[in-house]
Amino acid sequence: AVATDPVCGMKVDPRTAKGGSFIHQGTTYFFCSARCRARFAEAPSRYVAAVKPPAPAAAPGAEWVCPMHPE
């Protein structure tokens, strides 16, 4: 599984996260660097609010249309 660093948005492998992890309100967050972890530790609520849950999966057979498509 891949995690997203809540500070910079970088994809991180939890098993090898160079910045380690931080537990905030029962959720473990993983970081790409010690600097991102330190910034998160200073004000976790600032970054937790910015984390968006993944979009739900589309129904089988659904067609996706780019919102930037001119038609």
Side-chain angles (χ1 to χ4, degrees), residues 4-66:
T4 301
D5 183 322
V7 176
C8 68
M10 188 172 179
K11 299 296 180 192
V12 179
D13 181 343
R15 297 170 295 174
T16 59
K18 292 182 181 178
S21 63
F22 188 94
I23 299 172
H24 174 67
Q25 294 182 341
T27 301
T28 303
Y29 298 91
F30 296 92
F31 303 90
C32 68
S33 68
R35 182 173 179 188
C36 279
R37 184 183 185 282
R39 290 177 70 188
F40 184 86
E42 289 175 5
S45 59
R46 174 180 177 197
Y47 299 103
V48 171
V51 174
K52 297 178 183 174
E63 232 180 275
W64 183 82
V65 178
C66 175

Side-chain angles (χ1 to χ4, degrees), residues 65-71:
V65 178
C66 175
M68 299 303 290
H69 192 278
E71 294 179 14

